[in-house]
Amino acid sequence: MAIRIRILVIAGLLVLEPQIPKAQEPRPALIPLAQGSGASASSAASATNIGGLSDGPITAGEVVHINVFDAPDFSLITRVSESGDIPYPILGQIHIAGLNSASAANMLAKELKDRNLMLDPDVTVTVDSTITGITILGEVHSPGVYPPPGKHQLSDLLATAGGLTANTGRIIEITHSRDPSKKEYVSWDPTMHNTENFDRPVHPGDRVLVRACGIAYVGGNVLKAGAYSLCGSPNMTLTEVMALAGGVAPNAATSKTFLVRAQPDGTKVVEQIDLKKVLTSRVADPIVHEDDIIYVSPSPLKEILKGALAFALSLAPSALYIYHP
């Protein structure tokens, strides 16, 4: 009899056994997947390598990875909109621009808890900085597209691009992806001294153009007419540019030197300068700007005297011949 009862109990357990795991089967967790093997483990491992924690502010255009432990319905990958928002299940539009990874995770966890969606949510927010890089062009050794470096500072980006070339100017142009129509112009010291006063953050999608040195053109009655770089000094003066041009020619009319400067609207303004007074420090030494044209006029009287002297020298041999028969 006892043996028959044991057989019945065992048979009943065998019948109920397939139903017990189904009733107690837990929701699959996100982290335990990485502990397994096969395709699920590899996909989870690749997902963990996509984003990274960011101490800097999250900006528009960046891709964020939101992982809520043991809640796949609230986990997503999305791009931050131009207004700084992300679409989030049930919660709707959530503004995260300006927050770092930890602050955004805390805010989302609080929202899920306050709305009674989860008792104690464990939220992680990572930022994928490799999706949208920063473009740097111009006078750097290695122009290209780079992920945001370090603390997203301009100096860090310049170092990542190999540093500045010898022909670097003093203006860096930054175009922000959030408003491409507006450009920011940053004064920069190519020697990298005192740049902390001008350093500023750059963001994914920005375009950085390191401008070359400006050129000024010198012509007329100078010893070496040509185009000259303005790299030598933060504010090149007329005296310095004339020194590069070798100085004025002997037959120059220094009182009739003209400085031609283009205006933003395309027009040109001509200023007459007494170069002799500038060179002798009797008047202020004007600053030469990029694309300025300096023209030193010839002196008509000096030209006449030079012509007369040349004519006299040409007659000298015959005169001497007549004087000494």
Side-chain angles (χ1 to χ4, degrees):
M1 184 69 180
I3 295 175
R4 184 179 297 177
I5 293 175
R6 290 179 181 177
I7 294 174
L8 291 175
V9 171
I10 293 173
L13 291 175
L14 291 174
V15 173
L16 295 175
E17 184 179 3
Q19 300 178 1
I20 293 175
K22 291 183 179 179
Q24 297 179 352
E25 183 179 359
R27 173 183 287 180
L30 296 179
I31 294 180
L33 288 176
Q35 300 173 356
S37 59
S40 60
S42 62
S43 61
S46 62
T48 58
N49 292 330
I50 293 179
L53 293 175
S54 172
D55 292 331
I58 298 173
T59 59
E62 290 186 316
V63 175
V64 293
H65 301 248
I66 302 172
N67 180 34
V68 183
F69 177 69
D70 205 15
D73 292 340
F74 293 112
S75 301
L76 76 154
I77 301 174
T78 186
R79 187 182 296 274
V80 182
S81 68
E82 292 298 323
S83 59
D85 301 331
I86 59 169
Y88 198 81
I90 301 179
L91 299 181
Q93 295 291 325
I94 300 294
H95 187 80
I96 65 170
L99 304 176
N100 59 16
S101 296
S103 300
N106 293 336
M107 182 191 68
L108 292 173
K110 183 177 183 301
E111 288 289 333
L112 293 172
K113 187 174 181 179
D114 291 346
R115 299 197 188 188
N116 298 321
L117 297 173
M118 297 186 69
L119 292 178
D120 189 16
D122 185 1
V123 182
T124 303
V125 176
T126 57
V127 179
D128 191 348
S129 60
T130 62
I131 296 295
T132 305
I134 301 175
T135 302
I136 180 167
L137 303 170
E139 296 302 320
V140 292
H141 288 288
S142 301
V145 181
Y146 294 91
K151 295 183 179 180
H152 294 199
Q153 292 296 107
L154 177 59
S155 57
D156 297 329
L157 179 65
L158 295 176
T160 304
L164 304 173
T165 67
N167 197 37
T168 301
R170 297 178 180 273
I171 296 294
I172 295 179
E173 176 186 306
I174 301 178
T175 304
H176 299 289
S177 60
R178 298 180 297 276
D179 191 359
S181 61
K182 293 184 179 179
K183 296 181 180 180
E184 181 181 5
Y185 297 95
V186 181
S187 299
W188 197 260
D189 184 0
T191 63
M192 298 300 287
H193 295 300
N194 300 321
T195 56
E196 64 273 6
N197 297 327
F198 311 108
D199 211 358
R200 62 200 59 212
V202 288
H203 305 288
D206 285 355
R207 178 180 177 272
V208 178
L209 175 62
V210 181
R211 290 188 172 185
C213 289
I215 299 293
Y217 304 91
V218 183
N221 285 63
V222 294
L223 296 181
K224 295 186 297 182
Y228 293 94
S229 171
L230 302 179
C231 291
S233 172
N235 296 301
M236 291 281 284
T237 63
L238 179 60
T239 300
E240 293 172 326
V241 175
M242 292 306 301
L244 294 175
V248 296
N251 59 333
T254 54
S255 62
K256 293 184 179 181
T257 300
F258 298 96
L259 176 63
V260 183
R261 178 166 298 164
Q263 302 300 306
D265 59 358
T267 60
K268 293 184 177 181
V269 175
V270 180
E271 178 184 1
Q272 183 174 344
I273 299 173
D274 191 331
L275 184 58
K276 184 176 181 180
K277 290 183 179 180
V278 173
L279 296 177
T280 56
S281 301
R282 287 187 286 173
V283 295
D285 198 355
I287 301 297
V288 178
H289 296 176
E290 181 179 351
D291 294 330
D292 278 357
I293 300 174
I294 302 165
Y295 180 78
V296 182
S297 302
S299 171
L301 178 59
K302 291 180 180 179
E303 285 289 339
I304 294 173
L305 293 176
K306 182 180 178 181
L309 179 61
F311 179 73
L313 291 175
S314 65
L315 294 179
S318 59
L320 291 175
Y321 178 77
I322 297 171
Y323 186 76
H324 298 284

